[in-house]
Structure formats: structure tokens, C-alpha cells
Amino acid sequence: MVSLEESRSNSTRFPIARSYQYHSSKSQRHIGRSMRTIRSNFFQDDNSSCSFTEKSTCVSENLTDSVVDLRLGELASRNNKSVNSSAAEEDLLDLSQAFSDFSACSSDISGELQRLATLPSPEYVQKTDVCGETEPEPEPEPCMGFLQRENFSTEIIESISPEDLQPTVKICIDGLQSPSVAVKRSAAAKLRLLAKNRADNRVLIAESGAVPVLVPLLRCSDPWTQEHTVTALLNLSLHEDNKMLITNAGAVKSLIYVLKTGTETSKQNAACALLSLALVEENKTSIGASGAIPPLVSLLLNGSNRGKKDALTTLYKLCSVKQNKERAVSAGAVKPLVEMVAEQGTGMAEKAMVVLNSLAGIQEGKDAIVEEGGIAALVEAIEDGSVKGKEFAVLTLLQLCVDSVRNRGFLVREGGIPPLVALSQTGSVRAKHKAETLLRYLRESRQEASTSSS
């Protein structure tokens, strides 16, 4: 345990601080209001400069949220080699819980099924010509009785057995193949609702042959049809046996297309569907290789709060695979993640740190985190973050510094010693242990620097 008195003296006599140069413009931005910025001035050298090895160019790809698999023992062996396997399992399980508040969301995340299912087709909206006269509505497309129903109650669905629904499902599947956009839209909306809550309906719909007919509609130019279709596939994917059926029907690339081109809700649900498919281990690599990572990063940058959370969750799941970590770094995921860490109080910081911790498992990820000012943001999180946030921050810093004397120097320059000392005395049991370990590495570097200079 390091005393507070030692920490104060460290800030003036830590030789390691002068042994490294850290002057990246990206890391110099003001991330918060804490005293870290003032303390770090003691370690600044106006003439210092830092050059970083350029990140390697990797194949780029993309994905977002519905049900997260919390069985993370599979990832333990990929954690930092310096941490023993049991500790790694504990850390990964602990990290996974950062997603628990939204990892079991409803399959229909838009919450507006009834409204969306009854919106009129654009071709049915009355138009006014230049003379001010209202154009007559075109003749409605012939729809079979069930597809004509605008209001379709979930209570009705819950009361009907799958056997009685079979003719209805057949009507919907036939409707998906209609030349009429209105009929396709209605059929997709009804299948979406039928698959929303009941597992037996998901089995019935898939066994009736809906999946190969739904997948082409993911590229439909009508946004409402596309939205109903992607959400229907999301709902169907929640049944385990349907995941490979959807994947084998060629849905992954079409879901990525929706992730790039759809409405906000369509993008969120496409990401959710990809996450659901990624729960099958062998799908993770193929989803990344199909181009899912860049659109996920775009959703992380430009999406709504819901979309950003979905992107974080899906990136976290996909990045259990090394190739996808490389793709995420190459696609520019680190910069928005570091910015989210600095945004305390938004609900994003802890989740962003979990994904950063995953990316720090490869050298390219470590380099990108440091270059984008991640050490400063993580030090800030140790000072101002939540209890869990402090744990995730020190765990990520430990991963960055365990094999890098240079990064330890950067951490000292950012004023990291005093908050680490405080955390080692007042943090949770896990945070105390990690802080003490990191402080030990810093002391070792100081001693090595003193020996080499004498």
C-alpha cells in the first residue's frame, strides 16, 4: 500500500516523468474539470514531443443490441497474458455486467409497432396538384382479409394457438411476395408482431419458410417495409435454432446494408439482429469480415443514445475475436470511445471503458487508445467516475501499462499517481487490488530509471 505522503512526494521526484515525452495534441484537450490537469503540469516539458507508430491498416467492417450472452469464460484466455486465468475470468464477468441494464431488452425495441404497422403507404397520401385540386386516391391494392386489418392487437395474438395461426402465417408469407409494396409492408408488419413475444410463433414462422422470403426485403426501397422486415428477422433470431437459418439465408450482408441505409430504428434493429446472430461463436468472424464494424462505428458516432448503446453492445460481443478488434481499431472506434469515457453522467462511460478494455487486448488497440488521449480520460474517470467506472478505468490502465514502460511514463505525466493512491485506499476491493498492482509497476519503473541514471 502506498501512503498519501508518498504520493505527494512522488509528484516531485518521480524520475520516470522526465524519461518520456508525451505531447500528442489529441491527448492535450481538456477532458474534465478535475485537479488532474493542474497536477499533470508538474510533469510537463514544453520541449517534449512524442511520435507514435502508425496504426496498421486492416480490413474494415460493422453491427448493434437485443440479448447479450454473459457466458464470458470463453474470453478469459484472451485477456492480458500477465493476469492469471481466474483473475481474468473475474474481470471479464465483471466487465460484462456493465451491459446488463440493456442487454435483455424487448425484441421490438422501437415500441411503436402499432403506429408503424398502420402508417399509410406513401403512394396513398393525397396530393394537391398545381391548381390546388386534390388528386383522387389510387385504388387500394387487393389484400387478403387478414392483411387488410390495420389494428392487430397483441391480445389476439396471445390467445391463438400456433396451429390456428398457420393459415395466417401462410397468407403473410404469400403477401411478402406480392408485387404490391403495400401488401409486402402489411405482411412484414404482421409477421413482426406474430414473432414479437412468443417462441412457438417464431418456430412456426421459420418452419413455414418465411426467412428466405424476408431476407430480400431488407433491401426494399420502402423504409417502412424495410423496418418491419429487419425487426421481424430480429424477433425470429431470438429463437436459437433460427440463428443459423437466418445466417444461411444470406441475411448478414443485407442486415449490414440496413445498418448503413435504414431509418434510425431500422439501424438499431439491424444491429440488434447482428448481435443476436453473433451469439453463435462461428458467426462473429464472418459478421466482421462481411463489413459490419464500420457502420457500427458510424452508429456509435451519429446514432441516438439508444443506437450508441446498441453499437457498444454489439462491438463488445464481436470484439471477443482478435480480427474484429483489429477491424474496430482500423475503423476508428477508439476516438469516440475515449470521448464517451470523458462524458461522465451519460450512462455511456462505463460501457465505453469495457469496449476499450477489449480493444486494449491487441497492440494496435493500445497504441490507438494512448494516441487518442485515453490515458488522460481514464485518469479522469478514476477521480470522477462511479464505483464501477473507477474499476473499469484502473483495469484498462493496468492493461495499457503492464508491458509498456513508455505508457507508465505517460500515466505519470497525466497526474495519475495521486488518484491511484486514493483508489488503493478508498476504492472497492477489486479497485484497490488493481490500483496497488499498477502503483507497483510505476515504482519498478522509477527504480529502474534511478539505477540506469546512477
Side-chain angles (χ1 to χ4, degrees):
M1 183 85 61
V2 180
S3 68
L4 285 170
E5 183 179 353
E6 182 181 350
S7 76
R8 286 193 294 268
S9 63
N10 282 339
S11 65
T12 58
R13 63 181 177 82
F14 226 88
I16 188 174
R18 297 184 180 87
S19 302
Y20 298 94
Q21 300 174 331
Y22 185 42
H23 196 59
S24 169
S25 60
K26 296 179 182 178
S27 64
Q28 293 300 313
R29 66 180 183 276
H30 295 290
I31 293 184
R33 65 189 185 285
S34 78
M35 291 295 292
R36 176 195 60 76
T37 308
I38 298 172
R39 284 199 304 271
S40 66
N41 288 338
F42 288 110
F43 302 102
Q44 295 300 327
D45 182 348
D46 291 337
N47 297 320
S48 63
S49 62
C50 176
S51 61
F52 291 88
T53 303
E54 289 188 3
K55 292 172 281 190
S56 61
T57 304
C58 305
V59 181
S60 51
E61 287 53 282
N62 13 148
L63 308 307
T64 103
D65 161 34
S66 169
V67 181
V68 165
D69 182 8
L70 297 181
R71 296 166 296 178
L72 293 171
E74 63 188 21
L75 304 182
S77 62
R78 301 185 185 95
N79 201 29
N80 193 289
K81 62 184 180 181
S82 66
V83 185
N84 65 50
S85 61
S86 61
E89 271 186 31
E90 279 188 13
D91 289 339
L92 287 165
L93 184 59
D94 198 49
L95 289 170
S96 73
Q97 291 168 355
F99 291 105
S100 61
D101 63 335
F102 65 96
S103 63
C105 70
S106 166
S107 53
D108 244 324
I109 68 168
S110 72
E112 299 181 273
L113 179 66
Q114 303 294 351
R115 180 184 67 80
L116 295 175
T118 59
L119 282 175
S121 171
E123 61 261 34
Y124 291 127
V125 178
Q126 287 191 337
K127 299 177 182 178
T128 303
D129 63 19
V130 291
C131 299
E133 297 179 0
T134 302
E135 296 179 1
E137 288 187 14
E139 285 293 318
E141 294 284 352
C143 298
M144 302 186 74
F146 173 72
L147 297 181
Q148 286 181 313
R149 298 186 60 173
E150 290 188 349
N151 296 314
F152 193 55
S153 153
T154 53
E155 288 77 10
I156 294 175
I157 293 295
E158 298 300 328
S159 65
I160 302 176
S161 69
E163 294 77 17
D164 293 333
L165 276 176
Q166 193 155 17
T168 299
V169 171
K170 173 78 164 59
I171 290 171
C172 289
I173 293 173
D174 290 342
L176 294 175
Q177 302 170 81
S178 167
S180 165
V181 173
V183 174
K184 289 178 181 176
R185 183 189 308 115
S186 180
K190 300 305 188 287
L191 287 174
R192 167 185 178 172
L193 182 56
L194 286 168
K196 182 172 188 273
N197 294 319
R198 286 178 53 171
D200 50 0
N201 285 356
R202 293 169 191 152
V203 174
L204 170 64
I205 292 168
E207 289 180 347
S208 299
V211 171
V213 188
L214 281 167
V215 169
L217 292 182
L218 290 171
R219 295 179 181 268
C220 179
S221 59
D222 175 59
W224 301 118
T225 303
Q226 185 187 60
E227 185 172 311
H228 292 315
T229 300
V230 69
T231 312
L233 285 167
L234 164 61
N235 294 347
L236 290 173
S237 75
L238 300 182
H239 180 68
E240 193 67 26
D241 292 343
N242 290 345
K243 296 184 192 298
M244 290 310 298
L245 182 64
I246 293 169
T247 302
N248 293 338
V252 169
K253 288 189 176 180
S254 293
L255 287 168
I256 293 169
Y257 173 81
V258 177
L259 194 57
K260 293 176 179 177
T261 65
T263 64
E264 182 68 24
T265 299
S266 292
K267 289 178 179 180
Q268 292 169 9
N269 287 0
C272 289
L274 288 166
L275 172 63
S276 181
L277 298 180
L279 298 182
V280 178
E281 186 65 28
E282 55 264 37
N283 285 345
K284 293 177 184 176
T285 300
S286 62
I287 289 172
S290 295
I293 304 295
L296 277 181
V297 174
S298 179
L299 190 61
L300 195 64
L301 283 164
N302 305 312
S304 63
N305 283 342
R306 177 74 208 195
K308 289 178 179 180
K309 286 183 178 180
D310 289 342
L312 281 168
T313 307
T314 309
L315 283 168
Y316 172 65
K317 189 62 186 174
L318 288 173
C319 287
S320 66
V321 175
K322 182 176 184 291
Q323 297 97 312
N324 288 340
K325 295 182 201 287
E326 295 168 351
R327 291 167 180 141
V329 173
S330 179
V334 171
K335 183 176 181 179
L337 289 171
V338 169
E339 290 172 351
M340 286 180 179
V341 170
E343 295 171 2
Q344 297 295 329
T346 64
M348 302 284 190
E350 292 179 2
K351 298 170 180 63
M353 280 186 273
V354 171
V355 181
L356 280 176
N357 183 271
S358 177
L359 297 182
I362 61 172
Q363 189 58 48
E364 299 95 327
K366 289 184 175 76
D367 292 342
I369 292 168
V370 174
E371 185 175 359
E372 294 295 346
I375 289 179
L378 292 166
V379 169
E380 195 91 355
I382 290 177
E383 287 196 317
D384 298 335
S386 65
V387 173
K388 281 296 178 186
K390 292 173 190 284
E391 290 182 12
F392 299 150
V394 71
L395 182 61
T396 305
L397 283 171
L398 183 57
Q399 198 166 14
L400 292 174
C401 295
V402 64
D403 291 324
S404 175
V405 176
R406 184 191 69 167
N407 288 351
R408 296 174 202 172
F410 296 161
L411 175 57
V412 172
R413 282 183 177 276
E414 287 297 338
I417 294 175
L420 282 171
V421 170
L423 187 64
S424 72
Q425 296 178 337
T426 62
S428 65
V429 174
R430 184 183 301 275
K432 285 180 180 179
H433 172 67
K434 300 299 180 184
E436 288 168 358
T437 303
L438 186 49
L439 285 166
R440 186 170 66 250
Y441 281 123
L442 296 179
R443 283 197 300 271
E444 289 173 0
S445 294
R446 180 184 61 186
Q447 291 164 1
E448 291 170 4
S450 298
T451 303
S452 62
S453 62
S454 60

